[in-house]
Amino acid sequence: MSIRKDSFEYLRILSILMVIAFHYVYHGGIGKDNSFSLIGVTWDVIYHLGEVGVSCFFLISGYFLLDTTFKFRKVLLLLLQVEFYVVVSRLLLIIFGTS
């Protein structure tokens, strides 16, 4: 029976939220031109926290992977999932006429 490491899970969730906020700010472009305003400073802070969030997420995920064993079946299932979502996304783009 494995012991649950709640603090690592919470940090991983926090890092995911930082990455989502980073993508929202980066792709939204809000505050990019206002570098000396409150919006511009907030944009810079969220941007850099997102970069830190990516590093934390990968470090924590790597820490959890240390306890697992490699199984070819897991790799195959992951590849099938990725292919499924690629095909579904492509179909949705074709259906809605954006591709």
Side-chain angles (χ1 to χ4, degrees), residues 49-76:
L49 282 177
E51 291 178 345
V52 170
V54 169
S55 299
C56 285
F57 182 79
F58 279 110
L59 287 171
I60 294 169
S61 297
Y63 174 77
F64 284 126
L65 286 175
L66 287 175
D67 295 333
T68 61
T69 57
F70 177 79
K71 294 179 182 169
F72 185 72
R73 184 173 185 262
K74 286 175 126 179
V75 174
L76 184 63

Side-chain angles (χ1 to χ4, degrees), residues 3-5 8 15-17 22-23 25 27 29-30 32-34 38 47 50-51 58 73 75 77 79-80 93-94 98:
I3 298 171
R4 187 175 176 98
K5 298 174 177 128
F8 282 120
S15 65
I16 290 170
L17 292 175
F22 165 79
H23 282 94
V25 167
H27 292 292
I30 300 170
K32 203 184 270 192
D33 299 329
N34 303 327
L38 181 62
Y47 183 89
E51 291 178 345
F58 279 110
R73 184 173 185 262
V75 174
L77 287 175
L79 290 174
L80 288 173
L93 287 172
I94 290 170
T98 57

